[in-house]
Amino acid sequence: FASCYGDHMVLQKKPSGAVVWGHGELGAVVTVTLSGASGLIVLEKTAQVKGPSGTWTTVLDPMDRGGPYALTAEQGLENVTLQDIYFGDVWLCSGQSNMAMTVLQVTNASQELAMASRYPYVRIFAVAPAHSDVELEDLERIDLPWSIPTAAENLGHGNFTYFSAVCWLLGRSLYEALGSPIGLVEVAWGGTPIEAWSSRRALQACGLLEDMGREAPQSSLWHGASFNLKPACTSPHQHLSGPQTPSVLWNAMVHPLLNMTLQGVAWYQGEPPFLSPGVEQPPLSHRALTSPSFWGIGEANAFLHTDQYNCTFPALIADWRRAFHAGSAGQTEPLLPFGFVQLSTYRRRSADDSFARLRWHQTADLGVVPNARMPSTFMAVAMDLGDEHSPYGSIHPRDKQNVVHRLLLGARAVAYGDKDLVFQGPYPTRAILEVTGGLLNVTYSQELVCRQRDAQAFEVCCSSQASPCRWLPAPVVAVGSRTVTLALGGCRTLVLGLRYAWAEWPCEYQACPLYNPQGLPAPPFL
């Protein structure tokens, strides 16, 4: 079998058929059988080993949730059997270091680890960090073969290794909500930009590879000249972050999984490095994390090609969907549900608005998802979950439970069709100027709960010309059930724009100005 299969795995349940593939002798016929606990054969398939790679592929008949089953592949006198297999939902979790943070590193870690034994039907698998200049057929290495979760060995293995806390907590919550076995596949590497996770096709769709020579650079850092792209900042610690070269993680870590039938994807990526010019040195405990043994927090898109993210992110989603749909012989949905975490916080006092811009670009500049450019997606807003005292640096907040609660609502609504679920916070639908009173009335899509009257949260662009814009605070005068009234005292000319929570650290922990009655924060907007 290919390396992403093994004992204890979860395969995608019906209505999809699970794809199974592996290696064999060229031209040989492989018989694949699925048998139940009593040894009774449930289904049998045959597949021919094809060249030049010597692989065989078959699609199993759609199966109800449950197990355990045994899966056998037979070629001539040789056979291999995988045991303790269940059918359920398979989720792929990808991104950089906030996805790679393990259960050991989050709030209430000991309590979360102690509960692991209650979830024997949530199975976990982790791909080892690897990069390649060419698309690989099979994984080079795996960090964690399919496993039943255990507190010490795999959920609490170490810092930024395996298993992902966001992925585990999401899988566990989905299991509680649905009652189906859940298979979780972690594919993450700290400090990596979206370009490394994108295929060449996806990058070409955003015009990012047009100046490339015939060959991609061999090094794991950007070659500014070859790409006509330069990092926004360079740091002596850059070599400690994950690979930056376009497509190298797609090639080595995603491409080998394309035959897998999936239910959904969860993505957490975009944060910048710890260390860049003009940023104070973090305390020693943080510096220890950037030793070469650590997978780096590295350069990513809040400081690298930030303003191309409104193309690169929708392009990655569309491209992954096409590729997984084709690779699974049409079994993975063409609009594969795709959830992501909007960036949290980093520096409390930053004049730079790269975080705010990237949050906006994560929605393809439309503020909320799903939207026309990003159908079948869902987002967990995390800007109110800052963690200044995180031992892993404030870029790595420890409250992953609230992140996952917000992701879960989106998954249930978008991936599982729960129409009655409110899964995102209030968003403005219109703004009306009361010129005589110097007021701006902003109407929202949902009922509002005001947790904080923050004078800086709303700003207006106040200028006689659009560029450069002069942003001035617009204090909140009143909050109605669905309206916010802002004072425009400082604005003597036209109001050309309005923005909310446009800062790297827009509010204190769970204390942004606006939420809905379900406790979901109003996302930032421009």
Side-chain angles (χ1 to χ4, degrees):
F1 288 97
S3 54
C4 59
Y5 299 96
D7 296 342
H8 315 301
M9 71 179 167
V10 172
L11 293 172
Q12 184 59 41
K13 66 172 172 60
K14 72 179 197 185
S16 301
V19 177
V20 177
W21 72 283
H23 308 273
E25 231 166 87
L26 218 51
V29 171
V30 175
T31 304
V32 178
T33 52
L34 184 74
S35 43
S38 58
L40 191 72
I41 290 178
V42 179
L43 62 86
E44 185 171 289
K45 297 275 175 178
T46 56
Q48 191 162 22
V49 181
K50 298 199 168 117
S53 54
T55 59
W56 55 269
T57 304
T58 188
V59 180
L60 303 183
D61 298 341
M63 295 286 295
D64 283 321
R65 69 186 189 191
Y69 293 95
L71 187 69
T72 301
E74 216 168 333
Q75 178 198 286
L77 299 172
E78 288 180 73
N79 69 67
V80 181
T81 299
L82 305 178
Q83 305 283 359
D84 188 39
I85 287 160
Y86 281 78
F87 286 84
D89 283 334
V90 182
W91 281 77
L92 179 78
C93 302
S94 188
Q96 60 182 106
S97 51
N98 267 303
M99 183 60 87
M101 275 179 88
T102 59
V103 183
L104 186 71
Q105 295 175 272
V106 301
T107 308
N108 297 335
S110 52
Q111 194 181 328
E112 299 292 8
L113 290 169
M115 286 163 65
S117 58
R118 294 190 206 168
Y119 299 95
Y121 303 111
V122 181
R123 305 291 173 84
I124 57 181
F125 175 89
V127 175
H131 56 92
S132 167
D133 293 328
V134 293
E135 292 181 339
L136 302 183
E137 188 146 41
D138 205 350
L139 297 168
E140 279 186 345
R141 288 183 306 119
I142 53 179
D143 261 347
L144 180 68
W146 280 105
S147 303
I148 296 168
T150 56
E153 292 90 51
N154 48 42
L155 291 180
H157 176 261
N159 291 345
F160 300 100
T161 51
Y162 56 83
F163 191 75
S164 160
V166 167
C167 197
W168 164 250
L169 294 169
L170 178 62
R172 192 182 81 181
S173 306
L174 285 168
Y175 174 75
E176 284 174 345
L178 307 165
S180 273
I182 301 286
L184 299 172
V185 178
E186 180 190 338
V187 188
W189 194 336
T192 49
I194 194 169
E195 291 81 359
W197 295 103
S198 302
S199 73
R200 296 173 62 86
R201 277 185 316 274
L203 293 172
Q204 277 160 346
C206 294
L208 279 185
L209 294 183
E210 44 205 29
D211 289 350
M212 275 188 63
R214 279 161 318 191
E215 292 295 312
Q218 300 299 301
S219 117
S220 70
L221 286 176
W222 286 99
H223 284 218
S226 324
F227 288 87
N228 194 21
L229 294 171
K230 287 190 175 144
C233 59
T234 49
S235 139
H237 299 267
Q238 206 175 33
H239 65 285
L240 298 177
S241 63
Q244 313 288 301
T245 307
S247 305
V248 291
L249 304 183
W250 157 267
N251 291 342
M253 297 173 75
V254 181
H255 190 266
L257 300 175
L258 293 182
N259 296 1
M260 199 178 254
T261 311
L262 296 180
Q263 171 68 29
V265 175
W267 173 263
Y268 197 156
Q269 187 275 337
E271 311 89 334
F274 267 145
L275 303 173
S276 58
V279 177
E280 61 182 16
Q281 286 280 343
L284 257 180
S285 60
H286 300 182
R287 266 185 248 162
L289 288 174
T290 58
S291 71
S293 63
F294 173 63
W295 283 119
I297 321 298
E299 185 91 65
N301 296 92
F303 290 164
L304 180 72
H305 313 141
T306 306
D307 291 318
Q308 277 144 340
Y309 208 90
N310 58 5
C311 182
T312 51
F313 189 37
L316 173 135
I317 294 170
D319 185 66
W320 280 27
R321 283 172 170 166
R322 273 195 302 272
F324 275 101
H325 180 65
S328 65
Q331 298 303 309
T332 295
E333 285 290 314
L335 277 180
L336 172 67
F338 199 106
F340 63 95
V341 183
Q342 198 178 41
L343 288 199
S344 181
T345 51
Y346 177 24
R347 301 164 299 186
R348 189 181 279 279
R349 278 170 284 281
S350 166
D352 187 348
D353 75 340
S354 62
F355 257 65
R357 295 202 321 274
L358 193 79
R359 287 186 192 118
W360 184 241
H361 295 332
Q362 283 180 293
T363 66
D365 301 353
L366 292 166
V368 280
V369 300
N371 60 47
R373 287 192 62 201
M374 298 171 71
S376 202
T377 59
F378 54 97
M379 168 173 82
V381 175
M383 65 179 178
D384 63 334
L385 302 177
D387 184 356
E388 206 166 17
H389 304 293
S390 169
Y392 315 105
S394 58
I395 196 79
H396 297 117
R398 289 164 290 181
D399 177 0
K400 295 294 191 258
Q401 289 87 343
N402 266 303
V403 166
V404 166
H405 169 66
R406 294 168 186 181
L407 271 180
L408 173 71
L409 293 175
R412 285 175 59 191
V414 172
Y416 295 99
D418 190 336
K419 297 280 180 276
D420 301 324
L421 211 58
V422 175
F423 66 97
Q424 53 196 359
Y427 200 71
T429 54
R430 61 180 184 168
I432 294 176
L433 202 55
E434 272 186 45
V435 182
T436 50
L439 300 174
L440 186 64
N441 290 312
V442 185
T443 305
Y444 273 82
S445 59
Q446 298 172 27
E447 204 179 315
L448 297 174
V449 174
C450 179
R451 289 193 188 174
Q452 194 72 36
R453 284 279 181 99
D454 181 354
Q456 304 294 318
F458 287 93
E459 295 168 291
V460 286
C461 166
C462 197
S463 188
S464 48
Q465 80 276 346
S467 180
C469 206
R470 207 158 62 88
W471 289 98
L472 295 174
V476 174
V477 177
V479 179
S481 75
R482 289 193 175 213
T483 57
V484 177
T485 303
L486 308 174
L488 304 175
C491 217
R492 297 274 172 260
T493 52
L494 287 173
V495 177
L496 297 177
L498 171 67
R499 67 188 191 183
Y500 168 74
W502 201 264
E504 196 164 301
W505 196 297
C507 52
E508 292 313 302
Y509 181 73
Q510 292 201 322
C512 272
L514 300 176
Y515 290 77
N516 65 11
Q518 290 82 5
L520 296 174
F525 73 82
L526 173 63

